[in-house]
Amino acid sequence: MSININKFCKKGKAMILAYDQGLEHGPADFNEKNIDPEYILDIALEGNYTGLILHNGVAEKYYYGPYREVPLILKINGKTNLTNINPISRELCSVERAIKLGASAIGYTVYDGSPEEPNIFKEFGDIVEQAHDYGIPVFAWMYPRGPTIHDDLDTNILAYSARVGLELGADVIKIKYNHKPEEFKWVVKSAGRAKIVIAGGEKVPDNEFLHMCEEMMSTGVMGIAVGRNVWKHDKPFTITKGLRKVIIDEKTAAEARKVLNE
Ligand code: FBP
């Protein structure tokens, strides 16, 4: 069965806004504005993002009305950063419930390399099966993590993670970028017909962020699934315009910067 991901793309490119950090990192990432989920939903809607990532609790209370125009990827597992157990993120919401909450895709974090890997793979496999039976795609956060992973940005480790995502049935693989464009093409190739979107990381200056986006788009990825670099920005709609130039209109970071200065 072929699972369609076009809903999350414009001109074949994805510009997805992630807001799962409230669970993963806690309010430490937030300020007075972006602690309010509605602030992020407004950015997603008015900024024409091609997708939005939420956990079930926020979706249940905020994903209504016009916001439903932005396709939802409901991340159905999660954990805090308060524990020091082996990396594992358990299912918190069923696929069926996610669909009832309006999800057009399921999100799930896989920690390949974790001592819990067998349990993670089994749970993820079941989820892929269920989501695909409903005809909706699965986005996998492929994050290599555990005692044997010494450098999670090593190209071979990233390529292995991307490949694991393909092998386990992910349709889209969200992975970190290692700023080595030539090497990263191997990561993209390893994912086969699964598409790659890049995670953003800590907020960095605009120039740096746009340059990273231009560079990573040249490696063949489908786009971005970022949070902090947008909703921690003083002018989220301005950075969104710049991102659109680079991600969807295939312009250079230098051209996108002109939009920021307008
Ligand atoms: P950012 O763009 O804000 O980095 O978000 C990307 C993301 O993958 C989130 O979806 C997720 O909550 C977070 O990073 C996980 O990061 P980590 O596990 O490295 O703390």
Side-chain angles (χ1 to χ4, degrees), residues 2 19 27 37 43 50 74 76-77 79 93 104 112 114 129 136 150 155-156 165 168 176 195 198 248 250 259:
S2 154
Y19 192 60
I43 298 172
T50 64
L74 199 105
I76 64 167
N77 69 344
K79 62 164 190 55
C93 168
S104 299
D112 49 317
S114 166
E129 230 174 88
I136 65 168
H150 303 300
T155 303
N156 290 322
L168 296 181
K176 294 189 179 170
K195 300 291 181 192
I198 300 290
I248 294 175
E250 299 182 6
V259 173

Coordinates of all heavy atoms in Angstrom, one line a residue, residues 2 19 27 37 43 50 74 76-77 79 93 104 112 114 129 136 150 155-156 165 168 176 195 198 248 250 259:
S2 N 0.5 2.2 -0.8 CA 1.3 3.4 -0.9 C 0.6 4.5 0.0 O -0.5 4.8 -0.2 CB 1.4 3.8 -2.3 OG 1.7 5.2 -2.4
Y19 N 5.8 21.6 18.0 CA 5.5 22.2 19.4 C 5.2 21.0 20.3 O 4.2 21.0 21.0 CB 4.3 23.2 19.3 CG 4.0 24.0 20.5 CD1 5.0 24.9 21.0 CD2 2.8 23.9 21.2 CE1 4.8 25.7 22.1 CE2 2.6 24.7 22.3 CZ 3.6 25.6 22.8 OH 3.3 26.4 23.9
P27 N 8.8 23.9 30.3 CA 8.6 25.3 30.0 C 9.9 26.1 29.9 O 9.9 27.3 29.6 CB 7.7 25.8 31.2 CG 7.2 24.6 31.8 CD 8.1 23.4 31.5
P37 N -0.2 27.7 23.8 CA -0.3 27.0 22.5 C -1.0 27.7 21.4 O -0.7 27.6 20.2 CB -1.1 25.7 22.9 CG -0.8 25.6 24.4 CD -0.7 27.0 24.9
I43 N 0.7 31.1 14.5 CA 1.9 31.1 13.6 C 1.7 30.1 12.6 O 2.0 30.3 11.4 CB 3.2 30.9 14.4 CG1 3.4 32.0 15.5 CG2 4.4 30.8 13.5 CD1 4.6 31.7 16.4
T50 N 3.1 23.8 6.5 CA 2.5 22.6 5.8 C 2.2 21.5 6.8 O 1.7 20.4 6.4 CB 3.4 22.1 4.7 OG1 4.6 21.6 5.3 CG2 3.7 23.2 3.7
L74 N 0.2 14.1 15.0 CA 0.1 13.9 16.5 C 1.2 13.0 17.0 O 1.3 11.9 16.6 CB -1.3 13.4 16.8 CG -1.5 13.7 18.3 CD1 -2.5 14.8 18.5 CD2 -2.0 12.5 19.1
I76 N 2.6 10.6 19.3 CA 1.8 9.8 20.3 C 2.8 9.2 21.3 O 2.3 8.4 22.2 CB 1.0 8.7 19.6 CG1 1.9 7.7 18.8 CG2 -0.1 9.3 18.7 CD1 1.1 6.5 18.4
N77 N 4.1 9.5 21.3 CA 4.9 9.1 22.4 C 5.6 10.3 22.9 O 5.7 11.4 22.2 CB 5.8 7.9 22.1 CG 6.9 8.2 21.1 OD1 6.9 9.2 20.4 ND2 7.9 7.4 21.1
K79 N 8.4 11.9 26.4 CA 9.0 11.7 27.8 C 9.5 13.1 28.2 O 9.7 14.0 27.4 CB 10.1 10.7 27.8 CG 11.3 11.0 26.9 CD 12.5 10.2 27.3 CE 13.7 10.6 26.6 NZ 14.1 12.1 26.8
C93 N -0.8 7.8 23.6 CA -2.1 8.0 23.0 C -2.2 7.0 21.8 O -1.2 6.8 21.1 CB -2.1 9.5 22.5 SG -3.4 9.9 21.4
S104 N -3.6 13.9 10.9 CA -3.5 13.4 9.5 C -2.2 12.5 9.4 O -2.0 12.0 8.3 CB -3.4 14.6 8.5 OG -4.5 15.4 8.6
D112 N 17.1 4.6 18.4 CA 17.9 3.4 18.0 C 19.2 3.5 18.7 O 19.8 4.5 18.9 CB 18.0 3.4 16.4 CG 18.5 4.7 15.8 OD1 18.0 5.7 16.3 OD2 19.4 4.6 15.0
S114 N 19.4 2.4 21.9 CA 19.0 2.4 23.3 C 19.0 0.9 23.7 O 18.6 0.0 22.9 CB 17.6 3.0 23.5 OG 17.1 2.6 24.7
E129 N 1.9 -0.3 11.6 CA 0.8 -1.2 11.1 C -0.6 -0.5 11.2 O -1.3 -0.5 10.3 CB 0.8 -2.5 11.9 CG 0.9 -3.7 11.0 CD 1.0 -4.9 11.8 OE1 0.0 -5.5 12.3 OE2 2.2 -5.3 12.1
I136 N -2.9 6.5 7.0 CA -2.2 7.7 7.3 C -0.7 7.5 7.5 O -0.3 6.4 8.0 CB -2.8 8.5 8.5 CG1 -2.7 7.7 9.8 CG2 -4.3 8.9 8.2 CD1 -3.0 8.6 11.0
H150 N 28.3 7.4 20.7 CA 29.2 8.5 21.3 C 29.1 9.8 20.5 O 29.4 10.9 21.1 CB 30.7 8.0 21.2 CG 30.8 6.7 22.0 ND1 30.5 6.6 23.3 CD2 31.2 5.5 21.6 CE1 30.7 5.4 23.8 NE2 31.1 4.7 22.7
T155 N 28.1 10.8 10.6 CA 27.3 10.6 9.3 C 26.9 9.1 9.3 O 25.8 8.8 8.9 CB 28.2 10.9 8.1 OG1 28.5 12.3 8.2 CG2 27.4 10.7 6.8
N156 N 27.8 8.2 9.6 CA 27.4 6.8 9.5 C 26.3 6.4 10.5 O 25.4 5.6 10.2 CB 28.6 5.9 9.8 CG 29.6 6.0 8.6 OD1 29.2 6.1 7.4 ND2 30.9 6.0 8.9
G165 N 14.8 3.8 10.0 CA 13.4 4.4 9.8 C 12.8 3.8 8.6 O 11.6 3.4 8.7
L168 N 11.8 0.1 9.2 CA 10.7 -0.1 10.2 C 9.4 0.4 9.6 O 8.3 0.3 10.3 CB 11.0 0.6 11.5 CG 12.2 0.0 12.3 CD1 12.3 0.8 13.6 CD2 12.1 -1.5 12.6
K176 N 18.4 14.8 12.9 CA 19.2 16.0 13.1 C 20.2 16.2 12.0 O 20.6 15.2 11.3 CB 20.0 15.9 14.5 CG 19.0 16.0 15.6 CD 19.5 16.2 17.0 CE 18.4 16.2 17.9 NZ 18.8 16.2 19.3
K195 N 11.0 10.0 3.2 CA 11.5 11.4 3.0 C 12.1 11.9 4.3 O 11.7 11.5 5.4 CB 10.4 12.3 2.7 CG 9.7 11.9 1.4 CD 10.6 12.1 0.2 CE 9.9 11.8 -1.1 NZ 10.8 11.7 -2.2
I198 N 14.3 17.9 8.6 CA 15.4 18.2 9.6 C 14.9 18.9 10.8 O 14.0 19.8 10.7 CB 16.5 19.1 8.9 CG1 17.1 18.4 7.7 CG2 17.5 19.5 9.9 CD1 18.0 17.2 7.9
I248 N 10.7 26.4 0.2 CA 9.7 26.1 -0.8 C 10.0 26.8 -2.1 O 9.9 26.2 -3.2 CB 8.3 26.5 -0.3 CG1 7.9 25.6 0.9 CG2 7.2 26.4 -1.4 CD1 6.7 25.9 1.6
E250 N 13.0 27.7 -3.1 CA 14.4 27.2 -3.4 C 15.3 28.4 -3.7 O 16.1 28.4 -4.6 CB 14.3 26.3 -4.7 CG 13.5 25.0 -4.4 CD 13.5 24.1 -5.5 OE1 14.2 24.3 -6.5 OE2 12.8 23.1 -5.4
V259 N 14.2 39.5 2.5 CA 12.8 39.6 3.1 C 12.8 40.0 4.5 O 12.0 40.7 5.0 CB 12.2 38.2 3.0 CG1 10.8 38.1 3.6 CG2 12.1 37.8 1.5

